[in-house]
Amino acid sequence: MNDRVLSFLGLCRRAKKLVIGAEICEQSIREGKSLLILHASDASQNSLKRVKRAAEECGVSVLDSGRSKGELSAALGRLCAVLSVEDRGFADKLATMIASETERRI
């Protein structure tokens, strides 16, 4: 795995600061634990609708990871399209990494 974001997500998962799955992410947002929501670029809008609404209501940022469900799933060892980061340091670093990738693409 040569992708820095995917490697960092693996680190977050091992640190138990990453929640995987739309329903559990929504619950994490409502409980005030979630600091950042990431989703696969090919995640279904149906899956994202409730998560995005909850994130908007609670002031949690939602970012497209720029990776497919397959890439995220392979990196994390579990099928996933929506992720919640529950640590401020990890959330800030991931947001910075994704923003810098987005700037390079433009």
Side-chain angles (χ1 to χ4, degrees):
M1 181 177 1
N2 204 11
D3 186 317
R4 290 180 59 220
V5 172
L6 293 178
S7 295
F8 199 75
L9 284 171
L11 178 66
C12 294
R13 181 159 191 231
R14 287 188 299 277
K16 300 190 186 317
K17 298 296 180 183
L18 192 67
V19 175
I20 299 172
E23 288 180 24
I24 296 174
C25 287
E26 182 183 358
Q27 181 180 353
S28 175
I29 293 167
R30 301 241 185 247
E31 291 174 355
K33 294 178 183 177
S34 181
L35 301 169
L36 175 67
I37 297 293
L38 295 176
H39 64 85
S41 54
D42 58 348
S44 74
Q45 292 305 310
N46 194 32
S47 296
L48 291 175
K49 188 186 317 181
R50 290 178 52 185
V51 173
K52 283 184 174 181
R53 186 178 330 119
E56 185 177 312
E57 290 170 4
C58 297
V60 176
S61 297
V62 178
L63 296 176
D64 183 338
S65 68
R67 277 91 182 144
S68 69
K69 288 187 284 190
E71 291 171 314
L72 289 173
S73 298
L76 298 173
R78 183 172 167 202
L79 183 63
C80 60
V82 183
L83 311 164
S84 172
V85 182
E86 295 184 340
D87 178 83
R88 175 56 59 202
F90 287 143
D92 290 345
K93 180 68 175 174
L94 280 164
T96 301
M97 291 167 79
I98 291 170
S100 69
E101 282 183 354
T102 305
E103 289 173 5
R104 278 188 240 146
R105 284 187 220 146
I106 293 177

